[in-house]
Amino acid sequence: MPHISRLADNLPQSAIRALTPFAEKAEADGVKVYHLNIGAPDIKSPQVVVDAVHNYKFDHLPYSNSLGTRELRQGFLDKYYNKLGLHLSMEDILVTTAGSEALDFFFQITTNPGEEVIVFEPFYVNYNSIALKYGIKLVPIHTDIREGFRLPPVQEIEKAVTPRTRAVLISNPSNPTGTVFDKQELLAIAGICRKYDLFLGSDEVYREFCYSDKPIFSVMEIDDFDQYAIMLDSVSKRYNLCGARIGTIISRNKEVMSLGLRLAQARLCPPVLAQAATLAALDAPESYFEETRSEYIRRRNFTVAALNRIPGVFSPMPNGAFYTIAELPVENAADFCRWLLTDFRLDNQTVMLTPAAGFYGTKGQGLNQVRVAYVLEVPELEKAMAVLENALKKYNNK
Ligand SMILES: Cc1ncc(COP(=O)(O)O)c(C=O)c1O
C-alpha cells in the first residue's frame, strides 16, 4: 500500500463544513434548512459584472502574467485602493487566487516550518489548516465574548512572543466574531511588531462590511510600517464573487513581494476569466456597497436582538463582517448543532449553525458557542430564530 503524507493527514476537517452531510440528509428528506452556518450570502453581484461576463468574447484563454493582468492591478489601484487613500503603487500588489491563496502566500513568505504566528482566538479556521500544511505553529491569544472580543492589553499579547515568533495575523473585520479592530488596537499590535521584528498580516477580506460611521483602519495606513505590513484581501465577499477566486496580497516590502512573485510563478497565474470579471466589478457604483451595508445592518440588528431575547442566549453586538458568535444554554454546542439537523423539526424546518469550538486554538474554549452567519433576508432570519428558540426549549427539556 502506498503511504499518504502526514502533512495532508494532519489537516482537520473544516469546522464550517463538518455538519454538511447531516444537512444534506435533512434536505433530501424534504426538510427546509436555514443555512446560517457559512459565509455565503445571497446578495447579488454588481450588474456590471454580470454584463461583463455575458459579453466576454474569446476564442481561447491564455495564461496571464503571474502577478495578474496589468489592467486588473492598475484597476485595483486606481478604482479601489488608492481611492481609499492607501497610496499603493504597482510594485505593491499581486493578484492571487482569492484570499485563500493570499493567506497561503503570507504563511510561506513570513514563517519557516517550526516557527510561530500569533493569532487572536476565535479565528478563521483556515488559518489553522494553512499553518498546519507548512508545519507552522499558531499561538492563539484569547479574546472574550463578554468583552466583545476586543484585543487584550499589549502586555498580554507580548507574553505570547517567543524567539520563534515571526508574525501576527489578524482578521479585520473578524470572521468569526464580527469585531472591527480600531486604530488604537492596530497601532498597539504594530508597536509589538516593530519591537520584536514581526510581520503584521491583516486579513481585510471583510473591509467593506463595517457598520460604524468610520471605515476600517487598514494595516496599510500605519505610518513608518512599510517593512512589516502585509494586507490580504479578496473580492469574494466585497462583490459577492466567492466563486470567482480573485484576491490580492499587498505589501510595500520589496522582499515580500519578490517572494510573492516567485510563489505566484510556481502556480502560473490566477484565473483569467475571473480577472476580467473582477476588472468590471471595480466599476460597481458606491450605491452597491451602501445598499449591501444597509441590508447587513438590518440583518445584524434583527439577528442579535432575536438571539438575546432567547432565554440563556448571549450575543455581543458585532460591528463588521456578517457573523456573530452566540453563547447558548447548552453544554456542547457541537452536539446541539448536529441534533438540530438530525432530530429537530419545527413545521418541517430546522437551522444549521457552526459550532464555535473549531474557531478556537485552545482546547475546551467556545464549547457552548456557535457562529451565526446572518446571510439571509430578515423574514428568513425570523423563521430561523423561531426554530432556534423552540429547539433550545426542547433540547433542554429532553
Ligand atoms: C477571514 C477570511 N479570510 C479569508 C477567507 C478566504 O476567502 P476567499 O478565498 O474566498 O477569498 C475567508 C472566507 O470565508 C475569510 O472568512
Side-chain angles (χ1 to χ4, degrees), residues 302 305-313 328-329 336 339-340 344 346 350-351 353 381-397:
F302 173 80
L307 284 167
N308 284 312
R309 268 198 304 271
I310 303 175
V313 175
L328 302 183
F336 174 68
W339 174 85
L340 277 172
F344 183 76
L346 178 72
T350 194
V351 61
L353 304 165
L381 289 169
E382 224 168 306
K383 292 181 207 150
M385 290 298 125
V387 171
L388 178 62
E389 178 162 15
N390 278 278
L392 280 168
K393 239 185 251 159
K394 181 156 182 211
Y395 193 75
N396 286 329
N397 288 323

PDB file of all heavy atoms in Angstrom, residues 302 305-313 328-329 336 339-340 344 346 350-351 353 381-397:
ATOM      1  N   PHE A 302     -31.491  42.676  13.557  1.00  0.00           N
ATOM      2  CA  PHE A 302     -32.549  41.713  13.825  1.00  0.00           C
ATOM      3  C   PHE A 302     -31.991  40.483  14.541  1.00  0.00           C
ATOM      4  O   PHE A 302     -32.512  40.039  15.569  1.00  0.00           O
ATOM      5  CB  PHE A 302     -33.268  41.281  12.530  1.00  0.00           C
ATOM      6  CG  PHE A 302     -34.230  40.176  12.816  1.00  0.00           C
ATOM      7  CD1 PHE A 302     -35.478  40.464  13.352  1.00  0.00           C
ATOM      8  CD2 PHE A 302     -33.859  38.836  12.656  1.00  0.00           C
ATOM      9  CE1 PHE A 302     -36.348  39.444  13.704  1.00  0.00           C
ATOM     10  CE2 PHE A 302     -34.731  37.805  13.012  1.00  0.00           C
ATOM     11  CZ  PHE A 302     -35.982  38.121  13.524  1.00  0.00           C
ATOM     12  N   ALA A 305     -30.667  41.010  18.206  1.00  0.00           N
ATOM     13  CA  ALA A 305     -31.778  41.240  19.140  1.00  0.00           C
ATOM     14  C   ALA A 305     -32.546  39.936  19.363  1.00  0.00           C
ATOM     15  O   ALA A 305     -32.878  39.590  20.510  1.00  0.00           O
ATOM     16  CB  ALA A 305     -32.703  42.319  18.585  1.00  0.00           C
ATOM     17  N   ALA A 306     -32.802  39.190  18.287  1.00  0.00           N
ATOM     18  CA  ALA A 306     -33.569  37.943  18.416  1.00  0.00           C
ATOM     19  C   ALA A 306     -32.802  36.928  19.258  1.00  0.00           C
ATOM     20  O   ALA A 306     -33.386  36.242  20.112  1.00  0.00           O
ATOM     21  CB  ALA A 306     -33.877  37.368  17.037  1.00  0.00           C
ATOM     22  N   LEU A 307     -31.498  36.846  19.053  1.00  0.00           N
ATOM     23  CA  LEU A 307     -30.695  35.895  19.838  1.00  0.00           C
ATOM     24  C   LEU A 307     -30.779  36.241  21.323  1.00  0.00           C
ATOM     25  O   LEU A 307     -31.009  35.375  22.178  1.00  0.00           O
ATOM     26  CB  LEU A 307     -29.228  35.940  19.389  1.00  0.00           C
ATOM     27  CG  LEU A 307     -28.901  35.245  18.061  1.00  0.00           C
ATOM     28  CD1 LEU A 307     -27.499  35.630  17.575  1.00  0.00           C
ATOM     29  CD2 LEU A 307     -29.007  33.723  18.189  1.00  0.00           C
ATOM     30  N   ASN A 308     -30.594  37.524  21.637  1.00  0.00           N
ATOM     31  CA  ASN A 308     -30.558  37.921  23.041  1.00  0.00           C
ATOM     32  C   ASN A 308     -31.922  37.824  23.731  1.00  0.00           C
ATOM     33  O   ASN A 308     -31.994  37.814  24.962  1.00  0.00           O
ATOM     34  CB  ASN A 308     -29.971  39.330  23.178  1.00  0.00           C
ATOM     35  CG  ASN A 308     -28.460  39.297  23.002  1.00  0.00           C
ATOM     36  OD1 ASN A 308     -27.771  38.474  23.599  1.00  0.00           O
ATOM     37  ND2 ASN A 308     -27.930  40.158  22.151  1.00  0.00           N
ATOM     38  N   ARG A 309     -32.994  37.731  22.925  1.00  0.00           N
ATOM     39  CA  ARG A 309     -34.333  37.551  23.519  1.00  0.00           C
ATOM     40  C   ARG A 309     -34.574  36.097  23.935  1.00  0.00           C
ATOM     41  O   ARG A 309     -35.441  35.819  24.745  1.00  0.00           O
ATOM     42  CB  ARG A 309     -35.413  37.972  22.519  1.00  0.00           C
ATOM     43  CG  ARG A 309     -35.825  39.436  22.660  1.00  0.00           C
ATOM     44  CD  ARG A 309     -37.168  39.702  21.982  1.00  0.00           C
ATOM     45  NE  ARG A 309     -37.165  39.306  20.591  1.00  0.00           N
ATOM     46  CZ  ARG A 309     -36.800  40.104  19.576  1.00  0.00           C
ATOM     47  NH1 ARG A 309     -36.427  41.347  19.811  1.00  0.00           N
ATOM     48  NH2 ARG A 309     -36.811  39.674  18.338  1.00  0.00           N
ATOM     49  N   ILE A 310     -33.792  35.174  23.366  1.00  0.00           N
ATOM     50  CA  ILE A 310     -33.995  33.755  23.712  1.00  0.00           C
ATOM     51  C   ILE A 310     -33.378  33.508  25.090  1.00  0.00           C
ATOM     52  O   ILE A 310     -32.213  33.857  25.309  1.00  0.00           O
ATOM     53  CB  ILE A 310     -33.341  32.824  22.659  1.00  0.00           C
ATOM     54  CG1 ILE A 310     -33.898  33.121  21.258  1.00  0.00           C
ATOM     55  CG2 ILE A 310     -33.537  31.355  23.033  1.00  0.00           C
ATOM     56  CD1 ILE A 310     -33.228  32.334  20.131  1.00  0.00           C
ATOM     57  N   PRO A 311     -34.150  32.923  26.031  1.00  0.00           N
ATOM     58  CA  PRO A 311     -33.618  32.728  27.376  1.00  0.00           C
ATOM     59  C   PRO A 311     -32.290  31.951  27.348  1.00  0.00           C
ATOM     60  O   PRO A 311     -32.171  30.928  26.680  1.00  0.00           O
ATOM     61  CB  PRO A 311     -34.709  31.900  28.066  1.00  0.00           C
ATOM     62  CG  PRO A 311     -35.958  32.221  27.289  1.00  0.00           C
ATOM     63  CD  PRO A 311     -35.529  32.470  25.880  1.00  0.00           C
ATOM     64  N   GLY A 312     -31.287  32.513  28.043  1.00  0.00           N
ATOM     65  CA  GLY A 312     -29.994  31.820  28.177  1.00  0.00           C
ATOM     66  C   GLY A 312     -29.025  32.074  27.031  1.00  0.00           C
ATOM     67  O   GLY A 312     -27.886  31.604  27.063  1.00  0.00           O
ATOM     68  N   VAL A 313     -29.463  32.819  26.007  1.00  0.00           N
ATOM     69  CA  VAL A 313     -28.572  33.071  24.867  1.00  0.00           C
ATOM     70  C   VAL A 313     -27.955  34.456  25.022  1.00  0.00           C
ATOM     71  O   VAL A 313     -28.617  35.403  25.435  1.00  0.00           O
ATOM     72  CB  VAL A 313     -29.354  32.987  23.529  1.00  0.00           C
ATOM     73  CG1 VAL A 313     -28.457  33.373  22.349  1.00  0.00           C
ATOM     74  CG2 VAL A 313     -29.908  31.586  23.333  1.00  0.00           C
ATOM     75  N   LEU A 328     -24.815  29.687  23.936  1.00  0.00           N
ATOM     76  CA  LEU A 328     -26.121  29.022  24.066  1.00  0.00           C
ATOM     77  C   LEU A 328     -26.224  28.335  25.428  1.00  0.00           C
ATOM     78  O   LEU A 328     -25.201  27.947  26.003  1.00  0.00           O
ATOM     79  CB  LEU A 328     -26.272  27.959  22.972  1.00  0.00           C
ATOM     80  CG  LEU A 328     -26.169  28.404  21.512  1.00  0.00           C
ATOM     81  CD1 LEU A 328     -26.430  27.224  20.583  1.00  0.00           C
ATOM     82  CD2 LEU A 328     -27.126  29.557  21.204  1.00  0.00           C
ATOM     83  N   PRO A 329     -27.445  28.140  25.904  1.00  0.00           N
ATOM     84  CA  PRO A 329     -27.603  27.443  27.193  1.00  0.00           C
ATOM     85  C   PRO A 329     -27.496  25.924  27.006  1.00  0.00           C
ATOM     86  O   PRO A 329     -28.423  25.185  27.334  1.00  0.00           O
ATOM     87  CB  PRO A 329     -29.011  27.869  27.636  1.00  0.00           C
ATOM     88  CG  PRO A 329     -29.735  28.124  26.350  1.00  0.00           C
ATOM     89  CD  PRO A 329     -28.722  28.613  25.360  1.00  0.00           C
ATOM     90  N   PHE A 336     -25.467  19.902  19.971  1.00  0.00           N
ATOM     91  CA  PHE A 336     -26.744  20.576  19.712  1.00  0.00           C
ATOM     92  C   PHE A 336     -26.916  20.858  18.217  1.00  0.00           C
ATOM     93  O   PHE A 336     -27.995  20.614  17.651  1.00  0.00           O
ATOM     94  CB  PHE A 336     -26.809  21.870  20.533  1.00  0.00           C
ATOM     95  CG  PHE A 336     -28.007  22.718  20.229  1.00  0.00           C
ATOM     96  CD1 PHE A 336     -29.295  22.283  20.575  1.00  0.00           C
ATOM     97  CD2 PHE A 336     -27.879  23.949  19.591  1.00  0.00           C
ATOM     98  CE1 PHE A 336     -30.417  23.060  20.281  1.00  0.00           C
ATOM     99  CE2 PHE A 336     -28.979  24.734  19.296  1.00  0.00           C
ATOM    100  CZ  PHE A 336     -30.257  24.282  19.636  1.00  0.00           C
ATOM    101  N   TRP A 339     -27.805  17.707  16.460  1.00  0.00           N
ATOM    102  CA  TRP A 339     -29.172  17.305  16.818  1.00  0.00           C
ATOM    103  C   TRP A 339     -30.208  18.135  16.048  1.00  0.00           C
ATOM    104  O   TRP A 339     -31.235  17.620  15.610  1.00  0.00           O
ATOM    105  CB  TRP A 339     -29.326  17.457  18.338  1.00  0.00           C
ATOM    106  CG  TRP A 339     -30.698  17.218  18.891  1.00  0.00           C
ATOM    107  CD1 TRP A 339     -31.248  16.022  19.246  1.00  0.00           C
ATOM    108  CD2 TRP A 339     -31.702  18.216  19.171  1.00  0.00           C
ATOM    109  NE1 TRP A 339     -32.523  16.202  19.729  1.00  0.00           N
ATOM    110  CE2 TRP A 339     -32.826  17.542  19.696  1.00  0.00           C
ATOM    111  CE3 TRP A 339     -31.759  19.599  19.037  1.00  0.00           C
ATOM    112  CZ2 TRP A 339     -33.986  18.211  20.077  1.00  0.00           C
ATOM    113  CZ3 TRP A 339     -32.902  20.269  19.414  1.00  0.00           C
ATOM    114  CH2 TRP A 339     -34.005  19.576  19.928  1.00  0.00           C
ATOM    115  N   LEU A 340     -29.889  19.432  15.877  1.00  0.00           N
ATOM    116  CA  LEU A 340     -30.798  20.297  15.100  1.00  0.00           C
ATOM    117  C   LEU A 340     -31.041  19.694  13.714  1.00  0.00           C
ATOM    118  O   LEU A 340     -32.153  19.717  13.194  1.00  0.00           O
ATOM    119  CB  LEU A 340     -30.154  21.676  14.891  1.00  0.00           C
ATOM    120  CG  LEU A 340     -30.282  22.706  16.001  1.00  0.00           C
ATOM    121  CD1 LEU A 340     -29.413  23.925  15.682  1.00  0.00           C
ATOM    122  CD2 LEU A 340     -31.729  23.143  16.183  1.00  0.00           C
ATOM    123  N   PHE A 344     -34.320  17.564  15.163  1.00  0.00           N
ATOM    124  CA  PHE A 344     -35.309  18.603  15.461  1.00  0.00           C
ATOM    125  C   PHE A 344     -35.975  19.157  14.197  1.00  0.00           C
ATOM    126  O   PHE A 344     -35.311  19.478  13.216  1.00  0.00           O
ATOM    127  CB  PHE A 344     -34.677  19.770  16.240  1.00  0.00           C
ATOM    128  CG  PHE A 344     -35.689  20.804  16.615  1.00  0.00           C
ATOM    129  CD1 PHE A 344     -36.579  20.579  17.651  1.00  0.00           C
ATOM    130  CD2 PHE A 344     -35.809  21.982  15.880  1.00  0.00           C
ATOM    131  CE1 PHE A 344     -37.558  21.512  17.968  1.00  0.00           C
ATOM    132  CE2 PHE A 344     -36.777  22.925  16.187  1.00  0.00           C
ATOM    133  CZ  PHE A 344     -37.646  22.684  17.239  1.00  0.00           C
ATOM    134  N   LEU A 346     -39.264  22.031  13.245  1.00  0.00           N
ATOM    135  CA  LEU A 346     -40.416  22.852  13.608  1.00  0.00           C
ATOM    136  C   LEU A 346     -41.144  23.140  12.300  1.00  0.00           C
ATOM    137  O   LEU A 346     -40.586  23.813  11.422  1.00  0.00           O
ATOM    138  CB  LEU A 346     -39.967  24.174  14.261  1.00  0.00           C
ATOM    139  CG  LEU A 346     -41.094  25.126  14.638  1.00  0.00           C
ATOM    140  CD1 LEU A 346     -41.887  24.616  15.834  1.00  0.00           C
ATOM    141  CD2 LEU A 346     -40.558  26.525  14.914  1.00  0.00           C
ATOM    142  N   THR A 350     -35.583  23.343   9.985  1.00  0.00           N
ATOM    143  CA  THR A 350     -34.561  23.404  11.019  1.00  0.00           C
ATOM    144  C   THR A 350     -33.497  24.421  10.619  1.00  0.00           C
ATOM    145  O   THR A 350     -33.623  25.090   9.595  1.00  0.00           O
ATOM    146  CB  THR A 350     -33.966  22.018  11.350  1.00  0.00           C
ATOM    147  OG1 THR A 350     -33.227  22.127  12.568  1.00  0.00           O
ATOM    148  CG2 THR A 350     -33.063  21.492  10.247  1.00  0.00           C
ATOM    149  N   VAL A 351     -32.449  24.538  11.450  1.00  0.00           N
ATOM    150  CA  VAL A 351     -31.459  25.568  11.203  1.00  0.00           C
ATOM    151  C   VAL A 351     -30.064  24.957  11.331  1.00  0.00           C
ATOM    152  O   VAL A 351     -29.853  24.050  12.136  1.00  0.00           O
ATOM    153  CB  VAL A 351     -31.690  26.771  12.157  1.00  0.00           C
ATOM    154  CG1 VAL A 351     -31.560  26.379  13.602  1.00  0.00           C
ATOM    155  CG2 VAL A 351     -30.777  27.919  11.855  1.00  0.00           C
ATOM    156  N   LEU A 353     -26.152  25.776  12.125  1.00  0.00           N
ATOM    157  CA  LEU A 353     -25.236  26.744  12.733  1.00  0.00           C
ATOM    158  C   LEU A 353     -23.846  26.115  12.774  1.00  0.00           C
ATOM    159  O   LEU A 353     -23.719  24.896  12.649  1.00  0.00           O
ATOM    160  CB  LEU A 353     -25.686  27.059  14.168  1.00  0.00           C
ATOM    161  CG  LEU A 353     -27.114  27.579  14.323  1.00  0.00           C
ATOM    162  CD1 LEU A 353     -27.551  27.501  15.780  1.00  0.00           C
ATOM    163  CD2 LEU A 353     -27.195  29.018  13.821  1.00  0.00           C
ATOM    164  N   LEU A 381     -34.581  35.020   8.411  1.00  0.00           N
ATOM    165  CA  LEU A 381     -33.899  35.011   9.710  1.00  0.00           C
ATOM    166  C   LEU A 381     -34.915  34.882  10.840  1.00  0.00           C
ATOM    167  O   LEU A 381     -34.679  34.205  11.840  1.00  0.00           O
ATOM    168  CB  LEU A 381     -33.096  36.304   9.893  1.00  0.00           C
ATOM    169  CG  LEU A 381     -31.835  36.444   9.030  1.00  0.00           C
ATOM    170  CD1 LEU A 381     -31.287  37.865   9.111  1.00  0.00           C
ATOM    171  CD2 LEU A 381     -30.753  35.448   9.453  1.00  0.00           C
ATOM    172  N   GLU A 382     -36.060  35.522  10.627  1.00  0.00           N
ATOM    173  CA  GLU A 382     -37.126  35.479  11.631  1.00  0.00           C
ATOM    174  C   GLU A 382     -37.561  34.028  11.872  1.00  0.00           C
ATOM    175  O   GLU A 382     -37.689  33.586  13.018  1.00  0.00           O
ATOM    176  CB  GLU A 382     -38.301  36.284  11.097  1.00  0.00           C
ATOM    177  CG  GLU A 382     -38.927  37.189  12.109  1.00  0.00           C
ATOM    178  CD  GLU A 382     -39.887  38.164  11.416  1.00  0.00           C
ATOM    179  OE1 GLU A 382     -39.489  38.878  10.473  1.00  0.00           O
ATOM    180  OE2 GLU A 382     -41.033  38.179  11.834  1.00  0.00           O
ATOM    181  N   LYS A 383     -37.748  33.301  10.762  1.00  0.00           N
ATOM    182  CA  LYS A 383     -38.168  31.897  10.895  1.00  0.00           C
ATOM    183  C   LYS A 383     -37.040  31.075  11.531  1.00  0.00           C
ATOM    184  O   LYS A 383     -37.284  30.230  12.382  1.00  0.00           O
ATOM    185  CB  LYS A 383     -38.536  31.325   9.520  1.00  0.00           C
ATOM    186  CG  LYS A 383     -39.787  31.949   8.933  1.00  0.00           C
ATOM    187  CD  LYS A 383     -40.105  31.326   7.591  1.00  0.00           C
ATOM    188  CE  LYS A 383     -40.876  32.305   6.708  1.00  0.00           C
ATOM    189  NZ  LYS A 383     -40.647  32.127   5.294  1.00  0.00           N
ATOM    190  N   ALA A 384     -35.808  31.352  11.121  1.00  0.00           N
ATOM    191  CA  ALA A 384     -34.666  30.593  11.657  1.00  0.00           C
ATOM    192  C   ALA A 384     -34.538  30.801  13.170  1.00  0.00           C
ATOM    193  O   ALA A 384     -34.265  29.862  13.920  1.00  0.00           O
ATOM    194  CB  ALA A 384     -33.389  31.013  10.948  1.00  0.00           C
ATOM    195  N   MET A 385     -34.764  32.033  13.623  1.00  0.00           N
ATOM    196  CA  MET A 385     -34.646  32.321  15.059  1.00  0.00           C
ATOM    197  C   MET A 385     -35.780  31.652  15.853  1.00  0.00           C
ATOM    198  O   MET A 385     -35.585  31.216  16.983  1.00  0.00           O
ATOM    199  CB  MET A 385     -34.625  33.836  15.307  1.00  0.00           C
ATOM    200  CG  MET A 385     -33.359  34.511  14.846  1.00  0.00           C
ATOM    201  SD  MET A 385     -31.893  33.914  15.723  1.00  0.00           S
ATOM    202  CE  MET A 385     -30.885  33.408  14.378  1.00  0.00           C
ATOM    203  N   ALA A 386     -36.960  31.571  15.226  1.00  0.00           N
ATOM    204  CA  ALA A 386     -38.073  30.872  15.891  1.00  0.00           C
ATOM    205  C   ALA A 386     -37.729  29.393  16.028  1.00  0.00           C
ATOM    206  O   ALA A 386     -37.979  28.764  17.074  1.00  0.00           O
ATOM    207  CB  ALA A 386     -39.361  31.048  15.080  1.00  0.00           C
ATOM    208  N   VAL A 387     -37.130  28.821  15.002  1.00  0.00           N
ATOM    209  CA  VAL A 387     -36.712  27.417  15.064  1.00  0.00           C
ATOM    210  C   VAL A 387     -35.711  27.243  16.205  1.00  0.00           C
ATOM    211  O   VAL A 387     -35.841  26.331  17.041  1.00  0.00           O
ATOM    212  CB  VAL A 387     -36.066  26.968  13.720  1.00  0.00           C
ATOM    213  CG1 VAL A 387     -35.425  25.596  13.855  1.00  0.00           C
ATOM    214  CG2 VAL A 387     -37.096  26.973  12.591  1.00  0.00           C
ATOM    215  N   LEU A 388     -34.723  28.150  16.259  1.00  0.00           N
ATOM    216  CA  LEU A 388     -33.677  28.026  17.283  1.00  0.00           C
ATOM    217  C   LEU A 388     -34.274  28.114  18.692  1.00  0.00           C
ATOM    218  O   LEU A 388     -33.943  27.310  19.578  1.00  0.00           O
ATOM    219  CB  LEU A 388     -32.618  29.122  17.074  1.00  0.00           C
ATOM    220  CG  LEU A 388     -31.485  29.142  18.092  1.00  0.00           C
ATOM    221  CD1 LEU A 388     -30.675  27.843  18.043  1.00  0.00           C
ATOM    222  CD2 LEU A 388     -30.550  30.335  17.841  1.00  0.00           C
ATOM    223  N   GLU A 389     -35.175  29.059  18.896  1.00  0.00           N
ATOM    224  CA  GLU A 389     -35.763  29.231  20.231  1.00  0.00           C
ATOM    225  C   GLU A 389     -36.516  27.966  20.659  1.00  0.00           C
ATOM    226  O   GLU A 389     -36.338  27.464  21.767  1.00  0.00           O
ATOM    227  CB  GLU A 389     -36.701  30.445  20.231  1.00  0.00           C
ATOM    228  CG  GLU A 389     -37.368  30.626  21.577  1.00  0.00           C
ATOM    229  CD  GLU A 389     -37.946  32.013  21.783  1.00  0.00           C
ATOM    230  OE1 GLU A 389     -38.085  32.759  20.784  1.00  0.00           O
ATOM    231  OE2 GLU A 389     -38.258  32.336  22.940  1.00  0.00           O
ATOM    232  N   ASN A 390     -37.313  27.446  19.741  1.00  0.00           N
ATOM    233  CA  ASN A 390     -38.073  26.226  20.055  1.00  0.00           C
ATOM    234  C   ASN A 390     -37.151  25.038  20.273  1.00  0.00           C
ATOM    235  O   ASN A 390     -37.375  24.203  21.153  1.00  0.00           O
ATOM    236  CB  ASN A 390     -39.049  25.916  18.917  1.00  0.00           C
ATOM    237  CG  ASN A 390     -40.313  26.743  19.058  1.00  0.00           C
ATOM    238  OD1 ASN A 390     -41.205  26.400  19.814  1.00  0.00           O
ATOM    239  ND2 ASN A 390     -40.357  27.879  18.376  1.00  0.00           N
ATOM    240  N   ALA A 391     -36.122  24.971  19.474  1.00  0.00           N
ATOM    241  CA  ALA A 391     -35.186  23.843  19.578  1.00  0.00           C
ATOM    242  C   ALA A 391     -34.490  23.849  20.937  1.00  0.00           C
ATOM    243  O   ALA A 391     -34.352  22.806  21.579  1.00  0.00           O
ATOM    244  CB  ALA A 391     -34.160  23.927  18.456  1.00  0.00           C
ATOM    245  N   LEU A 392     -34.065  25.038  21.382  1.00  0.00           N
ATOM    246  CA  LEU A 392     -33.362  25.106  22.675  1.00  0.00           C
ATOM    247  C   LEU A 392     -34.272  24.674  23.810  1.00  0.00           C
ATOM    248  O   LEU A 392     -33.855  23.967  24.743  1.00  0.00           O
ATOM    249  CB  LEU A 392     -32.844  26.527  22.908  1.00  0.00           C
ATOM    250  CG  LEU A 392     -31.541  26.862  22.163  1.00  0.00           C
ATOM    251  CD1 LEU A 392     -31.263  28.360  22.199  1.00  0.00           C
ATOM    252  CD2 LEU A 392     -30.349  26.091  22.747  1.00  0.00           C
ATOM    253  N   LYS A 393     -35.551  25.086  23.714  1.00  0.00           N
ATOM    254  CA  LYS A 393     -36.521  24.709  24.744  1.00  0.00           C
ATOM    255  C   LYS A 393     -36.620  23.192  24.815  1.00  0.00           C
ATOM    256  O   LYS A 393     -36.510  22.581  25.883  1.00  0.00           O
ATOM    257  CB  LYS A 393     -37.894  25.296  24.378  1.00  0.00           C
ATOM    258  CG  LYS A 393     -38.443  26.223  25.450  1.00  0.00           C
ATOM    259  CD  LYS A 393     -39.850  26.676  25.082  1.00  0.00           C
ATOM    260  CE  LYS A 393     -39.862  28.148  24.686  1.00  0.00           C
ATOM    261  NZ  LYS A 393     -40.988  28.548  23.887  1.00  0.00           N
ATOM    262  N   LYS A 394     -36.799  22.587  23.637  1.00  0.00           N
ATOM    263  CA  LYS A 394     -36.991  21.137  23.589  1.00  0.00           C
ATOM    264  C   LYS A 394     -35.709  20.410  24.021  1.00  0.00           C
ATOM    265  O   LYS A 394     -35.755  19.437  24.767  1.00  0.00           O
ATOM    266  CB  LYS A 394     -37.385  20.741  22.149  1.00  0.00           C
ATOM    267  CG  LYS A 394     -37.635  19.288  21.992  1.00  0.00           C
ATOM    268  CD  LYS A 394     -38.537  18.979  20.835  1.00  0.00           C
ATOM    269  CE  LYS A 394     -38.759  17.464  20.789  1.00  0.00           C
ATOM    270  NZ  LYS A 394     -38.973  16.976  19.445  1.00  0.00           N
ATOM    271  N   TYR A 395     -34.561  20.900  23.564  1.00  0.00           N
ATOM    272  CA  TYR A 395     -33.284  20.242  23.868  1.00  0.00           C
ATOM    273  C   TYR A 395     -33.039  20.198  25.364  1.00  0.00           C
ATOM    274  O   TYR A 395     -32.570  19.211  25.901  1.00  0.00           O
ATOM    275  CB  TYR A 395     -32.171  21.021  23.153  1.00  0.00           C
ATOM    276  CG  TYR A 395     -30.829  20.312  23.095  1.00  0.00           C
ATOM    277  CD1 TYR A 395     -30.632  19.242  22.221  1.00  0.00           C
ATOM    278  CD2 TYR A 395     -29.756  20.719  23.896  1.00  0.00           C
ATOM    279  CE1 TYR A 395     -29.404  18.612  22.130  1.00  0.00           C
ATOM    280  CE2 TYR A 395     -28.529  20.083  23.811  1.00  0.00           C
ATOM    281  CZ  TYR A 395     -28.352  19.028  22.926  1.00  0.00           C
ATOM    282  OH  TYR A 395     -27.129  18.399  22.837  1.00  0.00           O
ATOM    283  N   ASN A 396     -33.356  21.299  26.022  1.00  0.00           N
ATOM    284  CA  ASN A 396     -33.076  21.376  27.461  1.00  0.00           C
ATOM    285  C   ASN A 396     -34.150  20.695  28.316  1.00  0.00           C
ATOM    286  O   ASN A 396     -33.976  20.552  29.519  1.00  0.00           O
ATOM    287  CB  ASN A 396     -32.873  22.825  27.870  1.00  0.00           C
ATOM    288  CG  ASN A 396     -31.507  23.315  27.387  1.00  0.00           C
ATOM    289  OD1 ASN A 396     -30.576  22.525  27.301  1.00  0.00           O
ATOM    290  ND2 ASN A 396     -31.404  24.579  27.043  1.00  0.00           N
ATOM    291  N   ASN A 397     -35.247  20.248  27.689  1.00  0.00           N
ATOM    292  CA  ASN A 397     -36.265  19.504  28.449  1.00  0.00           C
ATOM    293  C   ASN A 397     -36.302  18.042  28.055  1.00  0.00           C
ATOM    294  O   ASN A 397     -37.263  17.350  28.340  1.00  0.00           O
ATOM    295  CB  ASN A 397     -37.660  20.119  28.197  1.00  0.00           C
ATOM    296  CG  ASN A 397     -37.771  21.448  28.902  1.00  0.00           C
ATOM    297  OD1 ASN A 397     -37.242  21.616  30.001  1.00  0.00           O
ATOM    298  ND2 ASN A 397     -38.398  22.412  28.246  1.00  0.00           N
TER     299      ASN A 397
END
